[in-house]
Amino acid sequence: MRLLLASTIVLMGLTSSAGAALKTQTVDYKQGDTVLEGYLSYDDTFTGKRPGVLVVHEWKGLNGYAKRRADMLAHLGYVAFAADIYGKGVRPESIPDAAAISGKFKADRPLLRARVNAGLDVLKSQPNVDASQLAAIGYCFGGTAVLELGRSGADVKGIVSFHGGLSSPTPQDAKNIKAKVLALHGAADPFVKPDEVAAFEKEMTDANVNYRLIKYPGAMHGFTNPDNQNTPPGALYNEAADKASWIEMQKFFKEIFTAT
């Protein structure tokens, strides 16, 4: 991975009673010959190095939703980098296009791992990031991606999958996972079926991974994104599960980033 440039520092909205502003930055970087465009967010009122969190987008690519989640993490005091798995300017809008490009990466796990690790390298390179205190979160397609980051052996403390795909063509690679894993799953998700969930639990258990799976009753696929209004059918926002899962992530981060 080679970092190309960091451009356009933009002051965002107020973050705290002290009137602090988030700083956001578009970052162009490379994986192989492919140019990628990520999004960095942090609150510069926090001094010194701090934990960094990688954010991986849903199947429509790095859009406003993943960036909003990065900003939310920055409000909490983390340095957040929303990675670009697909490539600069590749932002599918239709469901068929999103399915096609996400399917390409799901079918090529080595490429998916390379892309998500390239994003992690950008995060680690930030001067305000403590490279020994890293985590990764992902939504839907991004949940699959961050689990593959773990299976690649990446040196991160925690991985959080929000309504992500849990299957793996190489479950034996779970032995490479160094992180604690938190999987936040909609119990009524029609796309990630019970047999896939059971296989994931077996994979984690067989590899002695420190993991936790939380199922939200009645929650369907994509339950954290308000834009999901049953299009496609089975992807539906659930406010209660959204709020509860974000709280679980915060508790998880306090646990992994304070552990000695």
Side-chain angles (χ1 to χ4, degrees), residues 219 223-226 236-246:
F223 61 78
T224 65
N225 190 339
L236 184 65
Y237 179 64
N238 184 306
E239 183 178 6
D242 176 22
K243 292 179 177 178
S245 61
W246 189 253

Side-chain angles (χ1 to χ4, degrees), residues 8-256:
T8 318
I9 295 179
V10 181
L11 292 180
M12 302 296 287
L14 298 181
T15 67
S16 70
S17 59
L22 292 186
K23 286 191 174 181
T24 69
Q25 189 170 333
T26 298
V27 180
D28 283 7
Y29 62 108
K30 268 192 168 184
Q31 184 274 313
D33 294 328
T34 301
V35 178
L36 310 164
E37 184 181 74
Y39 174 85
L40 182 72
S41 184
Y42 61 94
D43 180 348
D44 68 352
T45 62
F46 290 85
T47 59
K49 292 183 180 291
R50 71 199 85 159
V53 181
L54 187 72
V55 181
V56 184
H57 54 76
E58 300 172 295
W59 70 340
K60 288 191 174 181
L62 179 53
N63 55 20
Y65 179 70
K67 293 176 181 179
R68 288 196 299 274
R69 289 296 181 177
D71 289 344
M72 290 171 70
L73 288 162
H75 282 301
L76 296 175
Y78 303 110
V79 178
F81 182 68
D84 173 16
I85 303 300
Y86 293 167
K88 185 172 182 176
V90 182
R91 306 291 184 262
E93 295 185 3
S94 72
I95 290 174
D97 287 348
I101 191 166
S102 63
K104 166 190 169 182
F105 285 93
K106 288 179 180 178
D108 189 345
R109 298 300 174 103
L111 178 60
L112 178 56
R113 293 181 184 186
R115 292 285 170 89
V116 71
N117 270 285
L120 183 66
D121 287 343
V122 174
L123 178 64
K124 287 193 293 188
S125 74
Q126 301 307 309
N128 54 353
V129 169
D130 180 347
S132 70
Q133 301 285 314
L134 300 173
I137 72 172
Y139 295 86
C140 297
F141 167 82
T144 300
V146 295
L147 289 171
E148 286 301 321
L149 178 72
R151 294 176 182 119
S152 76
D155 193 10
V156 296
K157 285 186 169 291
I159 290 170
V160 185
S161 167
F162 291 86
H163 43 79
L166 303 175
S167 66
S168 170
T170 55
Q172 66 273 15
D173 287 351
K175 68 181 184 299
N176 299 323
I177 296 175
K178 301 173 183 177
K180 292 184 178 181
V181 173
L182 176 62
L184 304 167
H185 175 67
D189 189 330
F191 300 115
V192 183
K193 298 185 183 301
D195 58 347
E196 182 175 333
V197 176
F200 170 76
E201 293 186 276
K202 183 178 187 302
E203 174 192 1
M204 296 293 107
T205 300
D206 288 351
N208 294 313
V209 175
N210 187 332
Y211 86 100
R212 188 153 53 106
L213 172 70
I214 298 177
K215 301 177 184 179
Y216 296 99
M220 301 178 77
H221 195 66
F223 61 78
T224 65
N225 190 339
D227 293 338
N228 289 329
Q229 296 297 325
N230 213 32
T231 304
L236 184 65
Y237 179 64
N238 184 306
E239 183 178 6
D242 176 22
K243 292 179 177 178
S245 61
W246 189 253
I247 289 170
E248 288 294 338
M249 180 210 71
Q250 292 180 69
K251 292 192 296 186
F252 180 68
F253 284 170
K254 288 180 180 178
E255 172 191 333
I256 64 171

